[in-house]
Amino acid sequence: MAYRSKSERGQKAEQRLLADPYDTESWNVLLREAQTLPIASGRQLYERLVDRFPTCGRYWRLYIEQEE
């Protein structure tokens, strides 16, 4: 099941990503939200994030830290 934000700000960020999938500000909004959730709930977002930015070490590091 794909990650879907429940907050209004997160939903707006998801809408902006539909228009511009490389909008890092929107990704960061969703990332901050996912960091407050158990990894099982946020894993889909992390997978989408590192799929979109595969060479961004920061995003990989945050994903790995969340998995620990």
Side-chain angles (χ1 to χ4, degrees), residues 33-57:
E33 188 173 290
Q35 287 177 307
T36 66
L37 303 171
I39 187 60
S41 299
R43 187 174 285 120
Q44 283 295 113
L45 176 79
Y46 285 103
E47 288 291 330
R48 286 174 45 207
L49 183 63
V50 297
D51 186 53
R52 181 65 58 195
F53 301 99
T55 61
C56 183

Side-chain angles (χ1 to χ4, degrees), residues 16-42:
R16 288 192 306 269
L17 287 174
L18 291 175
D20 178 9
Y22 294 96
D23 179 358
T24 57
E25 184 177 328
S26 295
W27 279 112
N28 286 329
V29 167
L30 296 175
L31 180 60
R32 282 190 298 275
E33 188 173 290
Q35 287 177 307
T36 66
L37 303 171
I39 187 60
S41 299

